Amino acid sequence: MPSLDVVSTVDLQALDNAINNVKREISTRFDFKNVNSEITLDRKGKYIHIVTGDDMKVKAIIEILRRQCLRFKADPKCLDLMEIETASLGVKKVDIKIKDGIPERPVCKSSN
């Protein structure tokens, strides 16, 4: 009997391009003026790390990132947001885990 293997991986280069565009857009936006914002991609750990001034700016960066992911044909559903945390000096930070692959579904046991 033939088997069917389904593979779903995230294109990290497309995600890197999206992050670079987010950095470029943040540098030109007025609401991010005089605010140190940082977004980095950890390819090995498959994380995106965001550090910025407050909660609203974190949410704005995440929204820009989702829009750029769509533009570069990287599914924004692969982004798994963690909690927004307060770091030193009152800045906010969040880690976004990059989900790779298809999640396993629990096997249903039939009651025969």
Side-chain angles (χ1 to χ4, degrees):
M1 175 187 263
S3 66
L4 176 67
D5 293 331
V6 178
V7 178
S8 173
T9 59
V10 176
D11 184 5
L12 290 178
Q13 184 59 47
L15 204 54
D16 191 34
N17 292 339
I19 289 172
N20 288 333
N21 275 7
V22 169
K23 289 178 185 178
R24 193 173 304 121
E25 186 172 338
I26 287 171
S27 69
T28 61
R29 284 182 51 154
F30 182 75
D31 55 340
F32 283 93
K33 188 174 184 176
N34 298 326
V35 176
N36 291 335
S37 297
E38 181 182 324
I39 179 169
T40 57
L41 172 65
D42 179 10
R43 286 178 175 257
K44 281 189 177 179
K46 294 195 177 178
Y47 275 94
I48 299 171
H49 188 69
I50 299 173
V51 178
T52 191
D54 57 34
D55 287 342
M56 287 184 55
K57 288 184 179 40
V58 169
K59 291 176 184 177
I61 291 174
I62 291 169
E63 190 58 38
I64 296 168
L65 178 61
R66 285 185 175 145
R67 191 173 61 234
Q68 291 298 328
C69 283
L70 287 173
R71 182 173 175 221
F72 285 98
K73 296 183 177 40
D75 190 6
K77 292 180 184 175
C78 73
L79 305 176
D80 186 20
L81 271 65
M82 305 297 181
E83 283 188 36
I84 299 174
E85 302 172 358
T86 303
S88 63
L89 300 174
V91 298
K92 300 293 183 171
K93 68 177 187 173
V94 66
D95 287 328
I96 301 173
K97 186 175 188 296
I98 301 168
K99 294 186 283 187
D100 203 15
I102 300 171
E104 266 188 48
R105 290 182 19 191
V107 178
C108 296
K109 295 180 181 179
S110 62
S111 58
N112 289 355

